[in-house]
Amino acid sequence: MLRGPAQVMFLADARAGALCCLALATADWRYGAYALGGAVLGTATAHLLDAADERVEPGLEGLNSCLLALCLAVFLGPGRLSTVLLAAAGCAVVTVVTAALVRVLRVWDLPPLTIPYCLLAGAVTAAAPAFGWTRPRTATPPQALSGPTSLHPADLAGALLRGVSQVFFLDQWYVGALLLGVLFLANRVAGLVACAGGATGILTAWALGVPAARIADGTMGYNAVLVALALCGALLPATPATLPYALLGAATTTALTQGAAGLLAPSGGHVLTWPFILTTLCFLATARCFPRLTAPRGSRICLKEGATGEPMVTESR
């Protein structure tokens, strides 16, 4: 159950999961409780439904439920009874959706990633205003971003750390610092890859003319962090060939993040991790055409379940 929160960062370590929950609790103890509670409910539901051990043991069945519960807490408010009930019911439903997607995507030998959570979180947050849970988000037509684009050194450091914390929907730099510390403790290479992915996202957003305020709050970097981790160590081996491939994916998902924001603006929807999902699945499927990207060389970080569904160890040679 503790591995569920860790799997958000592509780690299969119970200690890392506990530290992730503690990091979230520094912003609000309820966020840590929702993340852990979501992982527990999702894992327990999968166990009761007799899900495959190779998915339950590494914490993969707690990944989407953890994100869903935390997402609802952040967007709907952690102190409301309706949020607690929705999160509890959603964690059970997302487990069923995960099983369906695992079965469907097995045809192409692809992982479900965070698709189940995005589907349910998008549906619930869109319906929330209709039921009076939240105020409707302002729906606006896509428009050009405005504002100063110059970045100061302090902005760069904050943007990198907030890019990590935004993986868990939070914008506190110290939460990002703690989460990054968890990555380095679990696997030093994973921490370096996350930093490289975040830096690539920042540089790409700046080159595209994104206002400094949007870059500094981390919303342009979290998808880049996830893509870099996925394509260099988690779903593909960490080699000199996959690193630039992963950073290319990080740059791509940053551009796609702004495109998704413009696409969802008229409906007031949330971007969530859709850019990460689309980029990772595309780059992962394409990597099979290039043997250099899939053949392990030297040290390989194995942080998460492979695309075939087989559990990976933390590090191997």
Side-chain angles (χ1 to χ4, degrees):
M1 292 181 179
L2 283 173
R3 293 188 184 108
Q7 284 287 2
V8 177
M9 303 295 289
F10 296 95
L11 300 172
D13 189 321
R15 293 168 298 180
L19 290 175
C20 284
C21 291
L22 289 175
L24 299 178
T26 60
D28 189 323
W29 69 267
R30 293 172 294 185
Y31 292 153
Y34 269 93
L36 180 58
V40 169
L41 287 174
T43 304
T45 302
H47 180 69
L48 289 174
L49 295 176
D50 200 21
D53 288 341
E54 60 264 24
R55 287 196 55 82
V56 176
E57 288 296 329
L60 293 171
E61 291 296 339
L63 162 64
N64 282 284
S65 57
C66 169
L67 282 174
L68 179 63
L70 181 59
C71 175
L72 297 182
V74 173
F75 291 153
L76 303 183
R80 306 176 64 174
L81 178 60
S82 59
T83 303
V84 176
L85 296 177
L86 277 172
C91 289
V93 175
V94 81
T95 303
V96 177
V97 175
T98 300
L101 285 169
V102 167
R103 187 173 183 85
V104 170
L105 292 174
R106 187 177 298 164
V107 176
W108 297 281
D109 199 21
L110 294 172
L113 300 177
T114 55
I115 298 176
Y117 126 76
C118 281
L119 289 175
L120 267 72
V124 173
T125 53
F131 293 100
W133 297 326
T134 60
R135 294 181 179 179
R137 295 189 72 199
T138 302
T140 58
Q143 52 188 347
L145 297 176
S146 59
T149 58
S150 59
L151 286 169
H152 301 287
D155 295 329
L156 293 174
L160 180 62
L161 295 176
R162 290 187 179 93
V164 178
S165 66
Q166 285 285 1
V167 172
F168 288 91
F169 317 105
L170 303 178
D171 62 356
Q172 289 87 352
W173 66 268
Y174 54 86
V175 175
L178 292 172
L179 292 171
L180 195 58
V182 172
L183 270 174
F184 273 102
L185 285 174
N187 192 296
R188 183 181 60 183
V189 177
L192 293 173
V193 169
C195 290
T200 300
I202 293 171
L203 180 61
T204 303
W206 175 80
L208 292 175
V210 176
R214 284 291 309 277
I215 299 176
D217 67 9
T219 54
M220 296 300 297
Y222 68 96
N223 282 293
V225 170
L226 289 173
V227 169
L229 286 171
L231 297 178
C232 186
L235 303 177
L236 292 176
T239 66
T242 57
L243 179 58
Y245 189 71
L247 297 184
L248 176 62
T252 301
T253 201
T254 303
L256 190 59
T257 297
Q258 191 54 43
L263 183 65
L264 293 170
S267 63
H270 297 279
V271 175
L272 303 177
T273 54
W274 284 115
F276 153 69
I277 293 167
L278 296 175
T279 303
T280 301
L281 291 181
C282 178
F283 274 62
L284 185 60
T286 305
R288 295 168 188 163
C289 300
F290 308 111
R292 186 182 297 274
L293 296 175
T294 55
R297 292 185 178 183
S299 179
R300 174 177 179 175
I301 316 167
C302 299
L303 306 175
K304 193 178 179 183
E305 166 189 65
T308 59
E310 297 178 357
M312 293 180 176
V313 296
T314 302
E315 184 172 352
S316 61
R317 287 192 177 272

